[in-house]
Structures are given as structure tokens and as C-alpha cells.
């Protein structure tokens, strides 16, 4: 239904007023100034225009014009030219800046000019591929259906697959399907590979850590197969704003990549608010529940008839939020619900209905998980409320981008939970709003990962010994694989000699395939997930509380031999934390320098390199939510685990320790608190999870006694006393929690100064007395004054004239 | 200077007017260490891609059975497609036929599965000539594929068992991977798995070739038995071990297994031919369940008259009780379609009390009495009977969930009853 401009104008101005009312209300309630920690306004921005390129096919031009696209944004025109010139490119844009046109335009143009042209589009999820399909179908209709566009993934029905392979100009797929469905069957795709001109990789920044390391190898196999058919395709990538898009792209593609960061798209005026729930227990550092606060914030908007989207980080929380908001906004009799929930798991018709309802404005509020973060056209809403920090700055902007009426005001509110990352972000808004510190790193030559992909490569095409696959000696690896019975050398080349199909057993999300399967036995036994071996020891030991999909599960039994964990759904008020004894030994130092290069007299060093991590889970603690009291504990008999990986570490030399005005146990506790805080800040910089990094403190030079020490001798009580055993010159390690390392150590080494400074900010700005989970860890785990000790250590690590005097 | 062979090969005048099959080159004696060759008597073959081993045998059985046009028509027809002239010509010439069975390094398919032993066979001198190509190592694959493509050029009608889903797609992959040997074009591909299922699955349950050999073909009488046959699950491992320098003995078993599969395949064709051929004179009456299977196959292929006769014959031949209602039902439907309503009605009356097909019978009778016989009371009677059956069904089920199809049938009955009552005022 259309409205007159006057009515539209009236409506817009009132929505701006209403948003401002809400913000004023918050600010007024915030007497201490601690709740609303930031209100940033971003003025509206005009579009920067450019004309269609001269070489654009006339039919394609007409098709765009028919869609009301008469010219391009400046960045779209620039990207189109770069792609047309045959270069690999990575287009870095915030959301809603028309990035899909950047690649669709040149690709469709090529297809129209040369009907044999083929392209492969990679999306991280099927849902995103589906969205793109809709967009391409729309264009295709206007082009007389000349272009064959199809999704090809696990859901594609078997009888459709053959037809798709023949008729497809653009195949939309995802990395898993490429890995198991297309590459090992490349003879079925000769038409595609013989004419493969473009490979488009969207959401490039998601390919980091383990997943990114795998994808790099999948792309190596792709390029290898394309070469077999005589092609060297051009790569077009799109990434959200991260600090190192060019570096990531060139590492993933192993070639030069042009980086395009300009943004010519218009944007509406936006306000971004950081909201920190008020403290209710200062001593323990406990705040009001962020889920409750988020629903209150959302309700303020909803009751003023502002269309609002609420994001939560788990299904369980979504449900809590939805219940509250539906109760607060009961529907009129006979009319549908004004506030709806949305999840990836809903049936397609339901999802379409909700998407439509949002676009048309009939649905006033929606509570969702990350399912609505990307792609999916739901129009633009008035406000977005995020219950909890989404985990990365990039994701936060993507979610906030859902609010943005072209001709009105929009507002995004981030409500922080008490997790350290959340607290850090809301209390350091400059960190968030300044140049992003988030980096994406990969380690594709991790041998565990690479060798698995080498097996897949051998299945796809026999391996020639002089081939290059990554930066490793392929012929040596092949010989080893042959000795292990996977390959056999016949003549020159290595052939696959197994019945099984390697790609099926290789998950792109874990480093080794030695995984534990998690089986829910509450009702009918059902497999609900998988964890890798090392994580299993820590997170699914017997009696652990394991969270999956926001639902708590109690681990009933762990079957080691069969690699199975049996769990039952529960609803309890505590969580468990494994007590681990970890010892790290340096195998090879890659680089080592003084901790502060400008002040070499500071008695500390920093380094990174290869390490051997021995760890054993010896017990666990039960910890109550919110109060963090320990309400129980247990011993466990689990085997020791050894892992070779990479690590970054800080060495605290003797003079530094002795200069600390604290008792030995306070110093030791301070070190553990410091490491806890360092690890939180590191996960921020690396865009990874807490689980991706391991922490440990070990003596810099381990005595032979200590090395040989059998872990199972160490009992729970000894852990506390192990801490009391004084470190002489400790190394504080942040190691990659994956065998072989995943590429975090060197970047952390380089970012040492940033890490130290930000950690100090995190701890010093924390309002708790003795420590809390948001800074140095729960007070119950630490001695008195541990927080101060941690700060003292940090102060000594930071170069400054007055401190240097301490050590002169 | 170009050799005489090159110069002549380009001369149009020297091109033969009709196709002259290239006889396979004679084999050489292989090297001493070649255990497989020694044990099997295989010879060394060579072509432009290198060497491989080849085994040749001729067997008197199974004997040649000429394919009839009728059978071929049934086997190769799709839903509604007519056979092209070229396909028909090729099919009807048994000299263009090639039976094929492969032994592979796995069942996974994809680009990493190899066919290390390719067995082919064709009719020759009243019996079956077998040729098996074996690659001693992966480097001999192209040579094997080249030889296969030459045979297929001469005999482009492929006959396999499950070849459409497995063997041929695998071989296509292998040809594509060579980038130098073009994929052979087949004139036709008869996969005997499908007709076997139609004819024998109801009686036998499983239609693996070994089961068919035992229950349908009587292989021992034909000349081979599976007593010491290797376990096919072991085949890939035998090959991998061999290729790494292990023993050749197990592969001898594999070659023998492949030979039996090929002979079984050819014999199977003979049996299918006999069943499908309308003119065949059988010494023994075929099994009644097989006849029923045949009638359904014929019906699906559009041979309605024969289907009808065969179905009736199956019932007369003493079709076991578990199949009778289904057969009666099909016969009735066939009769109805042929316009033989009396027979149809008689069969439906018989079926009315059957627990499975009674409802269907009521439905058909209600339609018949309303539309054809114009006997309204009887039409109403059967509509009511149908509704009563559905109600009984509903109350007997634990959660009173009945399938949507039954619900639809119920609605149809109710509409019919309502219409009849309205129009004719009866109760």
C-alpha cells in the first residue's frame, strides 16, 4: 500500500522522535553513567554514483534498468572494471552496499558474451546460496532465461543433479559440497571445469582458523583439477570489514589479490548504543541478567511501534526473549502475532512468511539467532537489539546493519553480557568504533590438515612427484602415505589405493578426524554433535555439563574406545569447569626478543615457536551461575594427552617477579589471572573462540624431573599446591588448541604491545573488587590481591620512563 | 620421409567400403616373474599406450540364444519412446553385443576408483568368447581402456548387470581421466538388473546374480558353480596387496569370479529372452509368481493384451495365497481397461472381503454400478460398505490415524452416496 509523501514524512519524523525518546529514557535512568557507555551517531551518507561500464552487454544493461538500477555506486563500477580486467580481487564492504552486483555484473556479462563461460559461487551456508539464487533468477528472467543458475548442495535431489551439471552456467555451492560432492566427482563436471572462468567466494572473513585452513586446501585441489582441464580461473572474493582482508585473500588463494575497500553506497542516519546492565553485586561483579535487560530495551522500542529485530546468541535465549516479548505485546483477537521468532530450523514456508511479514511491516518484532544476520531480504527495520556481543566486530556491524530505513533514523543497541569480551567491548567503545583490530589468520600447511587434503587430491588425480601443493615437500609426504598404505607409486605417479572415499571422513571444521560423537540418550538415542579428541577430554568428561544449541546436557558416560559420549538433557543452575594440569615445553623458538624492544632492561621476553603440550584433566568443579560459588567437585581418570602445536609466550624473568610487592602465592595467582585476561583479549584480536586458544604457565627451563613427572600422580589438592610451588622464571603461554597449530602464534607475537595495553585496560577498568569472570577470573579461583598483582605485572611489562627506573 | 604405412593411411581410395573388424593382435608370452600371467595363462598385449595382460577363453555354455524383436522391444523401450532405427538395428544384431563386468578397487565410485579387471564376452561359434583385461599396475590402465574402446567400437551394444548405475559410469570416468581416449559411444545399453527385478524379485526377494544363478538359471547344469568363489568384499584388498608386491593367487580367484559373472550374465539374457518372447515354447511351465511378475512388467510396458493373459495364467497356475488378491486386482483393472467389464466385476466381487484390497473393490463396484450398470441400489450398497470398512479400520487402529489416501477415498464414497441419495431419493 502506498502512502502520500506527506504521510511518509510525518511517519519518518515521528520515528526519529520516538527513537530519541527511548534513548533519552535510558540516559536519564543511568545515574552512574555506567549503563549507557556509548551513544554514537553516524550521519546519513549520500551515494556516490558512476555510470555503467561501456563494455556492458546491452541486454544486461536493460535488465538492470528494468529493475530500477540506472547507474552504479562508485565501488561497484570500480570492482566491475577490475574483474573485467581479469584480476583476482577482494571486495571489502560493510553490509548493504550492493556487493553482489560487483560480481554478478561481470560474470553475467561474460556469460552473455560467450555462452560457454562457467562460474562457481561459494557461500558458507546453504541459506545464503538460496538468497543469491533468487536474485540471479530475477535477473535471468529479464534476460530471457538464457543463463543456467542452480544451487548444488546436499539438498539437491538426486535426479536433478545430472541435469544441473549439464545446463549450469553458474553453480552455487558451499565448501563442504565442493569438498565431498564436486571435486571427487570432477569427471561428471567436465563442462564446468573445461570452461571455468570465475570462482566467487563470498563472506571470505568466515574462512579463518581451522575452517579457513581447510578451505585453502580445498581451493588448492580446485585449482589443480581446473588445471587438469586446462583452466586457471579468476577469483572474486567479498569480505566484511576486517583488518587484513588482502592478507587473508592472498593466503587463501595463494596469489596476488587486488583489495577494494571504497564504499559508494548510501546509508541512512544511524545511532549505535552500548548498554551495560547495571551491577547488582559489586563484590562479586555480578550484573543484572542481560537477557532480561535486552527484552526491556526491545520492549521500549516495540511499545512505540518501532519495528525491532532482537538477536540472541543461542536458541534457548531466543525462546526466553520471545516469550517475554509476546507476553508484553499480546496480539489482537483474530490478528496474527505481532512478535515472531525466527530460526534456521523452521520450515521454509514459515520462514518465507515471516520474511514477508517483516518486509511488509505487518510483523513488528522478530527474535532471532544468527540466522537473520546475513543475506535474506527482510527489508530494513527501525531498531536492532543484540542480546550479548555476537563474538566479532564484523558480526556486530552485520547485525546492526539490519536497522536502516533509507529515509529515516535507525538505531542499534548492543546489550553486554558479563563475559569478558562483552565487557571489554562496551567499556572500550573506541576499540570497537575505531579501525578494526580484528584479523583473520589461517595455517593451511598444518600437516594434519594438509596431508588429509593430499589424500583427497590423490583420489581426484594421481599425484605427480614434482607437483606443488602448498609449501611442503609433496614427494616426501607421498612416499610416507604410500608406506602407510594409502597410495601406491606406479611408474611416476602416486595413485589412491583404498576402497574408501577420503573426503567423507574429513571434516572441514576439525583438525584431525579423531572425533567423539555426542549422543543424546534422553529419549531415543540421537547424535547431536561432534567434538575433536582434545576438546572432548575437557568438555565432555563424565558428569560434565555440556551445552549444545543453548540446551544443557549432563554427560552420563564417556566411551573412549568407541569415541562416544552419552548425554542427557538437563536443566540445572550450575556449569562445570574441568581442572586441567597442563605443562608446556618449548621445542623450537621461531623468534624471541625482549618484551619491550625500546626498553630492553625490562626483565621479560616474548617469543613464539613450536611447543609440546602435555595435559591431563584430573578433575572438575561445579560452579553456580551468577554467584560463581563452587558447589561441588569430582576427580576424573582420564588419559594424558600430548599435542605438538605452536604457541606465543611471555617470559617473566626473576628480577621482575622479585620486584612485585606481593607474597609468593599472590604473585602466582596474579600470573594466572593475567593469563586469563590476556587470553580474552587475544580472542578478540584473532576473531576466535576461547576454545581455540589454550593457556598454561610452565617453568621456562623444565628440569628433567619435571618433564618425566607422571601427571596422574598429581591430585586435585596438589593442583593448588602446584601453584604454590614457586615458579622461578615462568613462561606464560597462549598456545593454539589444535595439533600442528592454526596460525595464531606469530600474529600474537607481533601484536604483543597491543595485547599488553588492552589487557591492562580490561583489568583496570573492571569495577569488581577481587576479580570476576569479566577480567582476571572468578574470585574463588584466586587468592586475595590477585587482581592487583596481575595489574602490577602488566605495569612492569609496559615500557615507561618511571617504571624503567625500577629495574635500572 | 613418411613411411609407406602413413602415406597409404591417408588415401581415400584405400578406405574399406564396409566396416572390417580389427582382429585383436596376437598375445606374447610375458616375463617370467609375472605370477598372475603364469597362473592364469594370460598373454601380454600391447598398444600405443603400453602393455597389459589379457586372458582369453571360449566356453560352450551358456549357449547362444538369439534375441527376438519382441523381447528387445520390451527391454529397451522407455516410457513412450520409440526405438531409433539405428538402435534397433544394432540391438537386433547379436554380433554387435558385448557383455561386460568389471572388478574394481571399491564401490565408492568417483575419480579415485579404478576398474583393474575388465571382463567382456560375446557370442561366438554357438558359445561364449570371453576376454579379460588386467592391469598389473596403474600405469597399465590406459592400455586396457584403449583395448576396451576398440572392442566397443566393433560391438557397441553393451549388456550388463547393474552397469547403468555402476560399471558404465565408472568406465566413463576412467575414459574422461585419460584426456586422450575418447569415451566410446554406445548404440544401446541393456541393464539386465531391471527386468530381473520385475520378473523375480517377488519370488526371490534378492536379485543378486548369484541368487538368480541358483534359483532361476541352474548354473551347475550350465557348467560352473560358486562353491569356492571368493568373497567379493575382499576384491579391492587383494588387488592393493598384489600391486604392492603381494601374492597373485587371490587375483586368480578374482578372474575366475569375473568369468562366472560374465557367463551368468549371458545365461541370464537367455532366460529373460525366453520369458519375454511371446513365441517361446517352454518345456516346463514357468513359476506362477514369475508369471505374475511378468504380467506386471508387460503391463508397465504397455503390452496390455499379453499382460492380461499372463496374469490370468498366473492365477490359474496356482499363484500362492499371498499374491492372489494383488493379482486379482490387477487382472480386474486390466479387464476394465480392455472393456471386459463382466470379468472385472466378477473379480471385484471376489475381492470385496479381502482385508487389503476390499476397499478398492468396493470403490470400483460403486463406480461400475452407478455408471455402467445404472443400478443405483447396488451402487449405494457398495458405497455404504466402503464407508463401513473405513470406520471399522479407524476404530481398530490405536490412534485412529488413517492415511490421507484413505481419507480421500472416504470423501469420494460420501460424495457418491450423497449424490445417489439426492438424485434417486433412496436411503
Amino acid at each position: 500500500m502506498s502512502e502520500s509523501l506527506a504521510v511518509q514524512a510525518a511517519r519518518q519524523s515521528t520515528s526519529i522522535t520516538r527513537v530519541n525518546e527511548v534513548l533519552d529514557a535510558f540516559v536519564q535512568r543511568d545515574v552512574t553513567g555506567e549503563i549507557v557507555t556509548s551513544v554514537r551517531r553516524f550521519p546519513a551518507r549520500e551515494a556516490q554514483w558512476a555510470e555503467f561500464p561501456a563494455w556492458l552487454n546491452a541486454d544486461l544493461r536493460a535488465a538492470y534498468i528494468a529493475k530500477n538500477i540506472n547507474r552504479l555506486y562508485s565501488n561497484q563500477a570500480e570492482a566491475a572494471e577490475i574483474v573485467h580486467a581479469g584480476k583476482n580481487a577482494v571486495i571489502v564492504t560493510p553490509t548493504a552496499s550492493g556487493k553482489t552486483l560487483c560480481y554478478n555484473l561481470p560474470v553475467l556479462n561474460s556469460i552473455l558474451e560467450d555462452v560457454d563461460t562457467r562460474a562457481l559461487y561459494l557461500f558458507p551456508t546453504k541459506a545464503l546460496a538460496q538468497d543469491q539464487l533468487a536474485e540471479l533468477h530475477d535477473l535471468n528472467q529479464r534476460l530471457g532465461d538464457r543463463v543456467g543458475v542452480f544451487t548444488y548442495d546436499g539438498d539437491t535431489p538426486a535426479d536433478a543433479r545430472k541435469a544441473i551439471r549439464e545446463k549450469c552456467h553458474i553453480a552455487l555451492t558451499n565448501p563442504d559440497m565442493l569438498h565431498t560432492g564436486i571435486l571427487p566427482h570432477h569427471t561428471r563436471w567436465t563442462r564446468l571445469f573445461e570452461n571455468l572462468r570465475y570462482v566467487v567466494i563470498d563472506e571470505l572473513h568466515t574462512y579463518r582458523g581451522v575452517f579457513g585452513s581447510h578451505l585453502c586446501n580445498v581451493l588448492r585441489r580446485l585449482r589443480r583439477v581446473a588445471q587438469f582441464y586446462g583452466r586457471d580461473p579468476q577469483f572474486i572474493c567479498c569480505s566484511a570489514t576486517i583488518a587484513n582482508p588482502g592478507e587473508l585473500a592472498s593466503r587463501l588463494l595463494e596469489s596476488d589479490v587486488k583489495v577494494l575497500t571504497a564504499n559508494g553506497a548510501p546509508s541512512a542516519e544511524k545511532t549505535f548504543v552500548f548498554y551495560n546492565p547495571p551491577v547488582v553485586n559489586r563484590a562479586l561483579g555480578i550484573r543484572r541478567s542481560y537477557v532480561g535487560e535486552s527484552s526491556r530495551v526491545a520492549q521500549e522500542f516495540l511499545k512505540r511501534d518501532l519495528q525491532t529485530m532482537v538477536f540472541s546468541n543461542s536458541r534457548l535465549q531466543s525462546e526466553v526473549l520471545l516469550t517475554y516479548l509476546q507476553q508484553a505485546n499480546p496480539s489482537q483477537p483474530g490478528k496474527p502475532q505481532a512478535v515472531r521468532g525466527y530460526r534456521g530450523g523452521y520450515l521454509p514456508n514459515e520462514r518465507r512468511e515471516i520474511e514477508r511479514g517483516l518486509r511488509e511491516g505487518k510483523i513488528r518484532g522478530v527474535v532471532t539467532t544468527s540466522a537473520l544476520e546475513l543475506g535474506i531480504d527482510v527489508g530494513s527495520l527501525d531498531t536492532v537489539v543484540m542480546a550479548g556481543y555476537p563474538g566479532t566486530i564484523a558480526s556486530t556491524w552485520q547485525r546492526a546493519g539490519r536497522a536502516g530505513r533509507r529515509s529515516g533514523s535507525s538505531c542499534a543497541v548492543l546489550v553486554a553480557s558479563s563475559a569478558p569480551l562483552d565487557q571489554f567491548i562496551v567499556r572500550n567503545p573506541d576499540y570497537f568504533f575505531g579501525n578494526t583490530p580484528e584479523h583473520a589468520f589461517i595455517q593451511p600447511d598444518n600437516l594434519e590438515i594438509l596431508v588429509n587434503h593430499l589424500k583427497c587430491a590423490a583420489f581426484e588425480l594421481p599425484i605427480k612427484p614434482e607437483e606443488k601443493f602448498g609449501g611442503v615437500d609433496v614427494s616426501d609426504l607421498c612416499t610416507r602415505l604410500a608406506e602407510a598404505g594409502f597410495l601406491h607409486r606406479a611408474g611416476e605417479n602416486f595413485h589412491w589405493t583404498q576402497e574408501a572415499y577420503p573426503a567423507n571422513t574429513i571434516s572441514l571444521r576439525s583438525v584431525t578426524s579423531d572425533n567423539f560423537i555426542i549422543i543424546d540418550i534422553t529419549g531415543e538415542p540421537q547424535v547431536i554433535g561432534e567434538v575433536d579428541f582434545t576438546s572432548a577430554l575437557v568438555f565432555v568428561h563424565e558428569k560434565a555439563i555440556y551445552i549444545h544449541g543453548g540446551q544443557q546436557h549432563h554427560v552420563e558416560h564417556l566411551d573412549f574406545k568407541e569415541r562416544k559420549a552419552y548425554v542427557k538433557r538437563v536443566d540445572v543452575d550450575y556449569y562445570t569447569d574441568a581442572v586441567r594440569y597442563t605443562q608446556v615445553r618449548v621445542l623450537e623458538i621461531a623468534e624471541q626478543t625482549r618484551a619491550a624492544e625500546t626498553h630492553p632492561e625490562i626483565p621479560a621476553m616474548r617469543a613464539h615457536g613450536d611447543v609440546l603440550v602435555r595435559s591431563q584433566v584430573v578433575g572438575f568443579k561445579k560452579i553456580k551461575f551468577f554467584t560463581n560459588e563452587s558447589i561441588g567437585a569430582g576427580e576424573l581418570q582420564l588419559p594424558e594427552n600430548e599435542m605438538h602445536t605452536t604457541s606465543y609466550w611471555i617470559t617473566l624473568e626473576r628480577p621482575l617477579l622479585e620486584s612485585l610487592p606481593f607474597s609468593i602465592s599472590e604473585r602466582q595467582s596474579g600470573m594466572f589471572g593475567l593469563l586469563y585476561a590476556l587470553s580474552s583479549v587475544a580472542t578478540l584480536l584473532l576473531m576466535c573462540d576461547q576454545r581455540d586458544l589454550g593457556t598454561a604457565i610452565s617453568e621456562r627451563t623444565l628440569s628433567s624431573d619435571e618433564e618425566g613427572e607422571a601427571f596422574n600422580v598429581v591430585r586435585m589438592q596438589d593442583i593448588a599446591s602446584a601453584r604454590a610451588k614457586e615458579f622461578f622464571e615462568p613462561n606464560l603461554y597462549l598456545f593454539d588448541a589444535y595439533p600442528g597449530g592454526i596460525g595464531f602464534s606469530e600474529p600474537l607475537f607481533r601484536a604483543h604491545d597491543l595485547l599488553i595495553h588492552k589487557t591492562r585496560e580490561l583489568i583496570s577498568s573492571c569495577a569488581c573488587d577481587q576479580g570476576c569472570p569479566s577480567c582476571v577470573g572468578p574470585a574463588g579461583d584466586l587468592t586475595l590481591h590477585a587482581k592487583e598483582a596481575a595489574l602490577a605485572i602488566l605495569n612492569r611489562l609496559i615500557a615507561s620512563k618511571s617504571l624503567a627506573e625500577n629495574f635500572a | 620421409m613418411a613411411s609407406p604405412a602413413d602415406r597409404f593411411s591417408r588415401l581415400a581410395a584405400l578406405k574399406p567400403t564396409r566396416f572390417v573388424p580389427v582382429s585383436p593382435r596376437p598375445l606374447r608370452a610375458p616375463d617370467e616373474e609375472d605370477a598372475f600371467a603364469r597362473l592364469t595363462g594370460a598373454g601380454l598385449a600391447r598398444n600405443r599406450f603400453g602393455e597389459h595382460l589379457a586372458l582369453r577363453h571360449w566356453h560352450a555354455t551358456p549357449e547362444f540364444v538369439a534375441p527376438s524383436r519382441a523381447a528387445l522391444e520390451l527391454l529397451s523401450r522407455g516410457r513412450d519412446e520409440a526405438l531409433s532405427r539405428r538402435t534397433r538395428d544394432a540391438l537386433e544384431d547379436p554380433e554387435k553385443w558385448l557383455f561386460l563386468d568389471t572388478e574394481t578397487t571399491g564401490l565408492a565410485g568417483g575419480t579415485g576408483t579404478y576398474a583393474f579387471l575388465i571382463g567382456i564376452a560375446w557370442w561366438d561359434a554357438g558359445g561364449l568368447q570371453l576376454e579379460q583385461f588386467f592391469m598389473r599396475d596403474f600405469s597399465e590402465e590406459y592400455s586396457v581402456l584403449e583395448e576396451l574402446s576398440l572392442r566397443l567400437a566393433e560391438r557397441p551394444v553393451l549388456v550388463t548387470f547393474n552397469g547403468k548405475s555402476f560399471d558404465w559410469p565408472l568406465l566413463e570416468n576412467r575414459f574422461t581421466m585419460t584426456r586422450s581416449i575418447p569415451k566410446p559411444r554406445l548404440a544401446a545399453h541393456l541393464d539386465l538388473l531391471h527386468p530381473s527385478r520385475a520378473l523375480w524379485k517377488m519370488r526371490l526377494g534378492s536379485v543378486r546374480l548369484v541368487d538368480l544363478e541358483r534359483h532361476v538359471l541352474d548354473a551347475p547344469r550350465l557348467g560352473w558353480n560358486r562353491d569356492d568363489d571368493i568373497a567379493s568384499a575382499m576384491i579391492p584388498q587383494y588387488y592393493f596387496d598384489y600391486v604392492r608386491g603381494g601374492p597373485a593367487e587371490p587375483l586368480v580367484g578374482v578372474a575366475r569370479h569375473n568369468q562366472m559373472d560374465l557367463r551368468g550374465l549371458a545365461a541370464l539374457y537367455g532366460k529373460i529372452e525366453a520369458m519375454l518372447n511371446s513365441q517361446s515354447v517352454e518345456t516346463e511351465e514357468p513359476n506362477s509368481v514369475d508369471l505374475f511378475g511378468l504380467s506386471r512388467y508387460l503391463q508397465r510396458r504397455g503390452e496390455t493384451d499379453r499382460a492380461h493373459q499372463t496374469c490370468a495364467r498366473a492365477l490359474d497356475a496356482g499363484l500362492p495365497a499371498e499374491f492372489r488378491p494383488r493379482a486379482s486386482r490387477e487382472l480386474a483393472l486390466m479387464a476394465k481397461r480392455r472393456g471386459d467389464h463382466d470379468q472385472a466385476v466378477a473379480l471385484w466381487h471376489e475381492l470385496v472381503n479381502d482385508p487389503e484390497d476390499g476397499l478398492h473393490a468396493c470403490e470400483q463396484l460403486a463406480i461400475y454400478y452407478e455408471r455402467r450398470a445404472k443400478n443405483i441400489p447396488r451402487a449405494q450398497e457398495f458405497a455404504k460398505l466402503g464407508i463401513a470398512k473405513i470406520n471399522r479400520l479407524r476404530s481398530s487402529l490405536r490412534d485412529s490415524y488413517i492415511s490421507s489416501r484413505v481419507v480421500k477415498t472416504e470423501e469420494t464414497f460420501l460424495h457418491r452416496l450423497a449424490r445417489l441419495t439426492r438424485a434417486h431419493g433412496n436411503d
Side-chain angles (χ1 to χ4, degrees), chain B residues 362-363 365-366 377-389 412-414 416-418 420:
Chain B
C362 286
E363 195 181 4
L365 285 168
R378 288 227 86 185
Q380 285 172 318
E381 178 191 331
F382 284 107
K384 283 187 210 164
L385 186 55
I387 292 168
K389 278 184 189 290
T412 326
F413 276 130
L414 289 166
R416 190 177 304 280
L417 200 54
L420 293 170

Side-chain angles (χ1 to χ4, degrees), chain B residues 208-376:
Chain B
R208 291 181 313 144
L209 191 56
V210 287
D211 296 318
L212 292 171
E213 278 179 17
R214 194 177 324 158
H215 299 289
V216 172
L217 293 180
D218 195 7
R221 186 176 58 83
L222 283 170
W224 69 91
N225 69 69
R226 299 273 185 175
D227 290 345
D228 294 316
D229 197 10
I230 52 160
S232 51
M234 298 296 298
I235 292 177
Q237 201 50 50
Y238 288 152
Y239 186 69
F240 295 140
D241 291 342
Y242 167 79
V243 121
R244 294 199 186 104
E249 281 79 356
L251 287 174
V252 177
V254 175
R256 186 170 157 263
H257 171 88
N258 184 256
Q259 287 159 23
M260 292 193 282
D261 280 350
L262 284 165
R263 294 173 76 186
L265 180 62
L268 184 64
Y269 181 76
K271 189 72 189 183
I272 292 176
E273 167 67 45
M275 290 281 281
L276 297 182
N277 188 339
S278 44
Q279 265 86 45
S280 85
V281 176
E282 286 279 324
T283 45
E284 48 181 81
E285 178 71 5
N287 184 289
S288 62
V289 183
D290 295 352
L291 280 174
F292 182 37
L294 176 60
S295 83
R296 301 177 80 207
Y297 183 75
L298 292 166
Q299 177 71 14
R300 276 207 301 276
R301 288 280 190 269
E303 287 286 314
T304 48
D305 286 349
R306 266 194 77 196
H308 188 106
Q309 286 162 19
T310 316
C311 193
R313 208 169 137 205
L315 281 163
D316 291 338
L319 192 61
E322 67 191 276
F323 297 109
R324 294 197 76 91
R326 222 187 314 173
S328 296
R329 178 182 169 149
E330 305 237 346
L331 199 58
L333 216 53
M334 287 185 228
K336 173 179 169 178
R337 289 197 187 125
R338 297 172 76 231
D340 187 351
H341 298 284
D342 291 337
Q343 185 184 37
V345 169
L347 285 163
W348 284 323
H349 274 289
E350 273 176 34
L351 270 178
V352 156
N353 291 318
D354 180 78
E356 291 268 329
D357 293 299
L359 201 58
H360 169 83
C362 286
E363 195 181 4
Q364 294 296 322
L365 285 168
I367 296 170
Y368 170 76
Y369 282 116
E370 180 184 353
R371 300 237 189 95
R372 290 211 168 267
K374 311 260 195 250
N375 182 340
I376 305 308

